[in-house]
């Protein structure tokens, strides 16, 4: 029997670290002991690898979560 006080739009962070795996087999983050880093791009949701700069679409992001 709760009452909604207010609604907020939740946005993903601009950067995520060590959450996703880069889908590029040649990416350095897949071969070295370094954390993966991605810049998240909004509307539509995409993730750009900090190291190889490959861009994953939303479907690929969901498939590559650690």
């Amino acid at each position: 029997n709760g009452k909604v006080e207010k609604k907020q739009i939740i946005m993903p962070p601009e950067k995520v670290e060590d959450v996703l795996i880069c889908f590029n087999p040649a990416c350095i983050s897949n071969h070295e002991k370094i954390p993966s880093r991605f810049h998240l791009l909004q509307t539509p949701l995409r993730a750009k690898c900090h190291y190889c700069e490959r861009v994953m679409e939303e479907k690929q992001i969901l498939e590559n979560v650690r």
Side-chain angles (χ1 to χ4, degrees):
N1 288 339
K3 178 179 146 186
V4 176
E5 290 291 324
K6 68 178 180 177
K7 293 185 179 184
Q8 294 180 331
I9 297 174
I10 299 174
M11 301 298 288
E14 290 182 16
K15 298 176 185 178
V16 291
E17 187 172 307
D18 218 17
V19 175
L20 301 172
I21 300 168
C22 186
F23 73 104
N24 176 8
C27 183
I28 191 169
S29 66
N30 291 325
H31 299 285
E32 300 291 329
K33 298 241 181 220
I34 56 174
S36 64
R37 291 185 183 151
F38 287 87
H39 305 277
L40 297 182
L41 310 169
Q42 312 294 326
T43 319
L45 181 62
R46 293 169 291 146
K48 180 178 178 182
C49 179
H50 174 78
Y51 303 106
C52 71
E53 298 187 350
R54 294 268 180 111
V55 177
M56 291 193 290
E57 302 297 327
E58 187 171 358
K59 180 182 177 189
Q60 293 168 314
I61 293 171
L62 296 173
E63 294 170 353
N64 289 292
V65 175
R66 284 192 190 261

